[in-house]
Amino acid sequence: MMWTILRRKAASAGSSNLVTYGTNKYLGTVRPALTGSMSQSYVDTILTPEAPTLGRNPKSSRQIHQGNLFLFQQKVNAVSSFKTDFSTQMSSRSFSSDSGDLVDAVVPFMGESISDGTLAAFLKKPGDRVEIDEPIAQIETDKVTIDVASPEAGVIQEFVAKEGDTVEPGTKVAIISKSGEGVTTHVAPSESPTQDATAKVEKPSPSPPSPPPPKPEIQPPKAAPIQSTPKPSATEPQLPPKDRERRVPMTRLRKRVATRLKDSQNTFALLTTFNEVDMTNLMKLRSEYKEAFFEKHGVKLGLMSGFVKAAVSGLQNQPIINAVIDGDDIIYRDYIDISIAVGTPKGLVVPVIRDAEKMNFADIEKTINSLAKKANSGSLSIDEMAGGSFTISNGGVYGSLLSTPIINPPQSAILGMHSIVNKPMVVGGEIKARPMMYVALTYDHRLIDGREAVFFLRRIKDVVEDPRRLLLDI
């Protein structure tokens, strides 16, 4: 509530002055006030009941002003109490006990593109001893499996989450006691002899049975007409019993694979072309130099490195296969990152060989060996599977003779390898047994024409059948 004294005579204490109160003006008697302060007597003097007013009751104005002073005092008290409470709250500690003995094991950061995961399994039990950074639980995401590690060495006091829960980074999973205090193990109490004796109560012997009453004579019922049970019609399906079925929820990795492959079918114009490759020379090269290769590089020489080098040569000759459609544009990649499809018990993962065009046979074999071990152990990171410009899938290790692989989005093509089978082939006018492999290239026909796809597959065939082309660059 604001008021302004527009004019006042300082000499006369009882002189009339023009006072503005809100939007109304009245004449009031003004008394001298203390300098630098506004006393209650000064307010009472301005709002005195006997002062003549214009358009406002001075008594009600005084009550309004006093009420506003009361509300203002309440706000000041509230701010003071808030400061006290806030300072008290800021000084308290969280996520630990008063003694600092308890620590929380929380879900770690899972990657830029992953916001949550499923608590797949606990690796420990309450009461187990754990060391620092020892995994106690596994979080399954759309791409990888991540471990929840213990932040301190101690004993697991309890789990605060359940298997199957959806958790986010920072979610509390378990409570660790550094000293092991307060951890109780539930043991079933043994039965005491007293309880056994109490439980065994002699039952009273049953009274002798009374003789049965005489049975009344009952006439045999008349034979009812035989009704034939209706046979099920031929159109009714015979469903198996429910006790012979099992319902298991899909894992997050399997859901992700299913979604991406279905999106690939719905988005791309998929087309597959085939060819067959004579593996004689590559297998001969492997058998002749495998021991020397292992002694120098520490890894075995496999067939996959030969196909990776052949794919690099084919992608350099046909850059459109290494490109991708982005809206109304085509993105040509000046690098070659080869994705290798690896089947694991938990699902299909696709780690990436970065800058494959800069690698030799040894570098490729070492990278494949390292990625395969991580894939089987479930320790692949998001960065090791992100990106990729072309994929190779080797179904031949499982015995596949022929298949049509599906493109791994957002790539534009995928090469499928298959099993090696001895077949009669015409070589130099003679029929000879040769180790042959069918290869398949599935490509996005919106971007890649059949001409480029066939030329690419022919380059794969030429390099694998004669690896000396790589040395001579022909």
Side-chain angles (χ1 to χ4, degrees):
M1 191 71 68
M2 299 178 62
W3 63 89
T4 307
I5 301 177
L6 301 178
R7 192 179 62 182
R8 185 180 62 184
K9 290 184 179 180
S12 175
S15 62
S16 63
N17 295 278
L18 184 62
V19 178
T20 301
Y21 184 84
T23 59
N24 299 321
K25 298 180 181 180
Y26 67 91
L27 296 175
T29 303
V30 181
R31 298 177 184 177
L34 295 176
T35 303
S37 65
M38 185 178 294
S39 63
Q40 184 64 34
S41 62
Y42 178 67
V43 176
D44 294 342
T45 303
I46 296 177
L47 301 178
T48 179
E50 55 270 14
T53 62
L54 295 176
R56 179 177 295 275
N57 186 358
K59 184 177 181 180
S60 62
S61 300
R62 179 179 180 181
Q63 292 174 354
I64 292 174
H65 178 72
Q66 291 176 351
N68 289 333
L69 289 177
F70 176 74
L71 293 176
F72 177 75
Q73 184 64 30
Q74 283 186 330
K75 292 180 180 179
V76 173
N77 296 338
V79 171
S80 300
S81 63
F82 173 76
K83 290 181 178 180
T84 304
D85 295 340
F86 180 76
S87 60
T88 303
Q89 293 175 1
M90 289 297 292
S91 62
S92 62
R93 297 179 60 187
S94 59
F95 303 106
S96 64
S97 63
D98 295 337
S99 61
D101 179 62
L102 301 181
V103 294
D104 298 332
V106 299
V107 178
F109 176 72
M110 297 182 288
E112 293 293 341
S113 59
I114 300 178
S115 58
D116 57 15
T118 301
L119 183 55
F122 287 109
L123 306 179
K124 300 290 183 179
K125 297 182 295 182
D128 289 353
R129 177 76 183 180
V130 292
E131 301 298 331
I132 187 171
D133 295 334
E134 183 178 358
I136 62 176
Q138 287 184 338
I139 306 297
E140 188 178 73
T141 67
D142 298 340
K143 300 179 180 180
V144 295
T145 300
I146 299 175
D147 292 333
V148 178
S150 174
E152 297 287 344
V155 179
I156 299 177
Q157 188 180 55
E158 63 173 331
F159 290 125
V160 295
K162 298 182 297 183
E163 293 184 358
D165 290 352
T166 300
V167 294
E168 299 177 353
T171 302
K172 185 192 300 185
V173 173
I175 299 177
I176 309 296
S177 175
K178 293 187 288 186
S179 62
E181 297 179 357
V183 180
T184 59
T185 56
H186 300 281
V187 182
S190 59
E191 298 181 354
S192 60
T194 307
Q195 293 177 350
D196 295 341
T198 306
K200 297 179 181 179
V201 180
E202 295 183 357
K203 297 182 180 180
S205 59
S207 59
S210 59
K215 296 181 180 180
E217 295 180 0
I218 301 176
Q219 296 180 355
K222 297 181 180 179
I226 301 175
Q227 297 180 355
S228 60
T229 57
K231 296 182 179 180
S233 61
T235 59
E236 293 181 0
Q238 299 297 322
L239 300 178
K242 296 296 183 182
D243 56 355
R244 297 174 58 187
E245 299 176 349
R246 291 184 300 114
R247 183 181 294 270
V248 179
M250 293 178 64
T251 62
R252 295 178 67 96
L253 180 59
R254 176 52 56 189
K255 290 180 182 179
R256 181 64 174 171
V257 171
T259 301
R260 287 178 61 84
L261 294 183
K262 188 57 183 176
D263 291 343
S264 177
Q265 284 187 328
N266 296 337
T267 303
F268 299 146
L270 300 176
L271 189 62
T272 306
T273 183
F274 303 92
N275 211 323
E276 58 181 354
V277 179
D278 188 349
M279 300 292 295
T280 301
N281 292 330
L282 185 60
M283 295 177 66
K284 182 179 179 181
L285 176 69
R286 178 189 180 189
S287 60
E288 289 180 356
Y289 294 101
K290 62 180 181 180
E291 295 181 359
F293 188 88
F294 181 78
E295 290 179 0
K296 182 175 181 180
H297 301 290
V299 291
K300 295 181 179 180
L301 178 61
L303 300 178
M304 182 61 73
S305 57
F307 275 90
V308 171
K309 293 294 291 184
V312 169
S313 178
L315 292 173
Q316 290 174 340
N317 290 341
Q318 302 295 330
I320 190 64
I321 298 180
N322 201 41
V324 66
I325 294 178
D326 185 15
D328 295 333
D329 301 328
I330 299 176
I331 299 177
Y332 287 90
R333 301 184 177 102
D334 295 330
Y335 59 90
I336 298 177
D337 290 348
I338 303 294
S339 303
I340 304 296
V342 180
T344 66
K346 295 183 178 180
L348 183 67
V349 294
V350 190
V352 181
I353 302 175
R354 308 287 181 187
D355 298 326
E357 73 277 9
K358 301 177 182 179
M359 294 184 177
N360 55 24
F361 280 78
D363 296 333
I364 294 175
E365 289 293 346
K366 290 178 182 179
T367 305
I368 292 177
N369 188 29
S370 175
L371 294 176
K373 290 181 179 179
K374 291 183 178 180
N376 292 325
S377 63
S379 59
L380 282 173
S381 64
I382 299 297
D383 295 336
E384 291 172 328
M385 293 190 295
S389 58
F390 184 78
T391 299
I392 298 178
S393 176
N394 187 9
V397 295
Y398 307 111
S400 174
L401 180 63
L402 192 62
S403 67
T404 56
I406 300 179
I407 296 176
N408 179 26
Q411 301 173 11
S412 299
I414 180 174
L415 175 67
M417 299 168 53
H418 300 91
S419 59
I420 301 174
V421 180
N422 286 326
K423 297 174 59 178
M425 303 295 296
V426 178
V427 180
E430 299 179 358
I431 299 177
K432 297 182 179 180
R434 290 284 187 171
M436 304 298 295
M437 173 192 290
Y438 287 114
V439 290
L441 178 70
T442 300
Y443 57 95
D444 186 3
H445 208 353
R446 301 177 304 165
L447 177 65
I448 304 170
D449 295 331
R451 174 178 175 272
E452 287 81 9
V454 172
F455 281 171
F456 174 82
L457 210 55
R458 282 288 307 181
R459 182 62 181 174
I460 297 288
K461 175 181 174 66
D462 292 341
V463 172
V464 172
E465 289 184 346
D466 189 2
R468 294 175 297 179
R469 290 177 177 269
L470 295 175
L471 179 64
L472 301 176
D473 192 18
I474 56 176

